[in-house]
Structure formats: structure tokens, C-alpha cells
Amino acid sequence: MTEHIQRQHADGILTLTLARADKKNAITDAMYGALADALEAAERDSTVRVVLLRAEGDMFSAGNDIGEFASIAVSGGSGGGERNVIRFLHALARATRPLVAAVQGRAVGIGTTMLLHCDFVLLADDAQLSTPFVNLALVPEAASSLLMPARLGYVRAFEMFALGDAVSAQSALAWGLANRVVPLYQLGTEAMAIAERLARQPLGALTETKRLMRNAELLKQQMDAESACFAQRLKSPEAHEAFRAFVDRRPPNFHAVAH
């Protein structure tokens, strides 16, 4: 378990904490591996009844570690570092335990799309959700190209993906991306209270209810299709320009780039 993913298990609740606040909780390949390990282990552990996802610092996650992606895109590498990303995504799709998320500040990219796999999402009143994949010349992941339109409708989902603008906590609640919005100072307490309530429920009934509501195989198929396209896009001239601009600290110029 990497130091940037903290794990605590008590009273039937497995709490997984993104603990890389100095880097805005950007998720590295090693962190994805630790998260996948934890979720896979939870499926085999009868004492885990609920998984709570949270983060340290003033934001939930800046998304994928841009430095890792930039090195692949700029060098034209193979993108093999996605292996643990895919493991984590598949673990989300297969998860039978209720997943609770507590989100403060910005949640970017995978920081937002992972919430589509959570069964109870609490947002602090300062939360802002965004999915700026197209801004980086990439495509959505985590089966969000399927789940986001189903949740929000096509036009709102397209706007989130194509323009990448942040959605406020209250709008996210109104659109069906969250269960509740709470004051920031209450986020941890409220999330734990919900996790404790779920932990007291009959686990068999909960897991069967979740299984009936979600098609894990369909989600995995969509994830794999997205991942294949994502890997291709990561090596594209557009992505090379996007990440080179990031490294050079300048706006990208996609007009002069072949697509």
C-alpha cells in the first residue's frame, strides 16, 4: 500500500484516503495499484461491509498525474503505465460493497468519473466537479461515456466532456451526481454517519440490490473500449501538443495539429 493511499478498517468500514495533498491528490500509477489492491481485497473480506473514499487537503483530486501522462504523450511512449488504472476501473465496476464518497474542493477527471461508481456521494459545499478530457485531447474513461449521459442526459454530459467547465456542488446535486451537499466542516462526520448506517444494513440484501441496479460486465466492456481509445489518443499529435503546452506553460494550439 503506497504511502499516498491510507487504509483504515474499523467496524465494517474500510476507509481509503487519497493522501497526496501537496500534489492536489493527483493519482499516480502506484496509487491506482494500491486502490485496486484495496478494493479487490475488500471483495474477499467478509468483515468489510462498506468502502468510504475520501481525501486529505482542500481538494478531492486533480485527477490523473499529469506528469506521467505528459511523459508518455511527449515521448510517444506505449502508454503501458495504464495497467493499474485499468485494474482500478475494473475493481470499481466489480465492487459489490456499497461505495461512499466524501468530496471537497475540486474533483477533476477521474476524481469526478469515479463518483459515478459510488452508491452514495456527499459533496462539501465548496466542491467543483469537472471532466476536462477533451481539453487534453483525450476521451472519457471509467465508463463515464456511458454513465454520464445516462445520469445527466446527453446535452449536459457532452458539455461537461467537451468544454471541461467545473460544475458546482449545488448543480451536481440537482443533476443527480450527488446525494447530498453539506457544509465543508460537516463532510467527514456526515460521510461516516452514512457509512455506519449502511454497515448496519443486511450485506446480502445490499449487494444483491447493487448487482441488480448495475451491469458490471457492460461497464467493463465500456471501460475497455474507452481505454483502447484513450491509449491511442494519448499518443496522438493533438495530445502531444496538449501536454507539450502544459510542460511549456502556454495555451495549446490545436489548429496546426493533425487529428
Side-chain angles (χ1 to χ4, degrees):
M1 185 71 65
T2 174
E3 62 181 308
H4 294 137
I5 301 295
Q6 296 178 355
R7 182 183 185 277
Q8 183 178 4
H9 182 194
D11 301 323
I13 301 168
L14 173 63
T15 301
L16 301 176
T17 303
L18 304 179
R20 199 186 179 210
D22 61 321
K23 298 295 184 180
K24 302 180 181 179
N25 291 320
I27 306 176
T28 63
D29 187 64
M31 292 168 69
Y32 281 122
L35 288 167
D37 288 344
L39 291 176
E40 290 166 358
E43 292 296 308
R44 301 187 297 268
D45 187 346
S46 61
T47 66
V48 175
R49 302 177 70 86
V50 181
V51 177
L52 171 60
L53 299 170
R54 60 175 301 277
E56 291 187 344
D58 60 4
M59 66 183 295
F60 184 67
S61 176
N64 290 299
D65 185 277
I66 295 295
E68 290 188 348
F69 275 178
S71 65
I72 296 171
V74 172
S75 67
S78 66
E82 284 191 274
R83 178 178 56 84
N84 280 325
V85 176
I86 295 171
R87 282 186 57 224
F88 171 61
L89 297 180
H90 284 181
L92 286 176
R94 291 192 301 262
T96 62
R97 304 299 193 271
L99 303 179
V100 178
V103 180
Q104 78 278 11
R106 293 172 59 207
V108 181
I110 188 82
T112 287
T113 58
M114 74 168 73
L115 303 180
L116 297 170
H117 297 274
C118 294
D119 306 291
F120 205 104
V121 177
L122 293 104
L123 302 180
D125 50 14
D126 71 338
Q128 297 186 64
L129 312 186
S130 62
T131 51
F133 298 106
V134 171
N135 296 32
L136 294 172
L138 301 174
V139 295
E141 31 75 311
S144 61
S145 60
L146 175 69
L147 294 173
M148 194 76 83
R151 188 78 60 88
L152 307 185
Y154 179 89
V155 292
R156 280 176 172 163
F158 182 83
E159 180 178 355
M160 284 192 69
F161 289 140
L163 299 183
D165 294 336
V167 175
S168 70
Q170 290 296 338
S171 291
L173 177 65
W175 293 0
L177 285 171
N179 296 82
R180 298 179 188 174
V181 174
V182 299
L184 177 60
Y185 73 91
Q186 291 181 353
L187 180 65
T189 301
E190 289 290 326
M192 184 56 69
I194 293 298
E196 289 171 346
R197 284 190 62 186
L198 289 170
R200 291 193 294 268
Q201 294 289 77
L203 181 59
L206 274 180
T207 57
E208 284 300 293
T209 297
K210 180 169 178 173
R211 181 183 65 80
L212 290 167
M213 293 175 69
R214 290 167 57 85
N215 187 330
E217 288 306 312
L218 178 61
L219 294 177
K220 287 169 59 182
Q221 290 173 16
Q222 190 75 5
M223 288 173 175
D224 292 344
E226 291 171 343
S227 293
C229 187
F230 195 103
Q232 291 179 338
R233 295 300 311 159
L234 195 58
K235 294 181 287 184
S236 71
E238 286 182 338
H240 186 282
E241 167 61 14
F243 288 106
R244 175 59 68 187
F246 173 81
V247 171
D248 295 343
R249 299 180 182 275
R250 60 172 174 81
N253 178 13
F254 296 120
H255 289 284
V257 178
H259 59 82

